[in-house]
Amino acid sequence: ASPPRADAVAEAEASPWALSPEQLAAYEAIFHELLGEARTALDAHEARDILERSGVPHEELSHIWHLSDLDGDGRLDLGEFVVAMHLVARRRENY
């Protein structure tokens, strides 16, 4: 496969939907702080507690949950949690 074109990379980095390394690290730290080392996913109750702190309306959080819980198991693994947190952050910034 050929490497991405420089203009495509610059466009992705300028997108409000792009996840910066700093954001990823912050979301990962929150996830691991909530879970500890023994488990690999947050249940709905645990995730709801952290997502509700955002102040985003419940109806929108429900939609974000459904977009983020990719396998539909009612829990968020690390990747799904990162998606949820990033969508909540963007929603708070009026995207």
Side-chain angles (χ1 to χ4, degrees), residues 11 13 17 22 25 27 32 35 38 40-41 48 52 55-56 63 71 73 75 78 82-85 87-88:
E11 182 179 324
E13 290 174 351
W17 301 104
E22 295 81 12
Y27 300 150
H32 291 299
L35 272 186
T40 59
R48 183 181 65 229
E52 284 182 344
V56 171
H63 189 64
D71 58 9
D73 67 355
R75 304 173 337 136
L78 176 59
V82 168
V83 169
M85 292 294 287
L87 290 173
V88 165

Side-chain angles (χ1 to χ4, degrees), residues 26-60:
Y27 300 150
E28 287 176 337
I30 294 167
F31 182 83
H32 291 299
E33 182 180 318
L34 292 169
L35 272 186
E37 296 300 318
R39 297 178 19 233
T40 59
L42 293 171
D43 65 32
H45 177 75
E46 293 167 314
R48 183 181 65 229
D49 286 347
I50 190 76
L51 296 175
E52 284 182 344
R53 294 181 201 169
S54 69
V56 171
H58 286 226
E59 182 178 310
E60 293 178 28

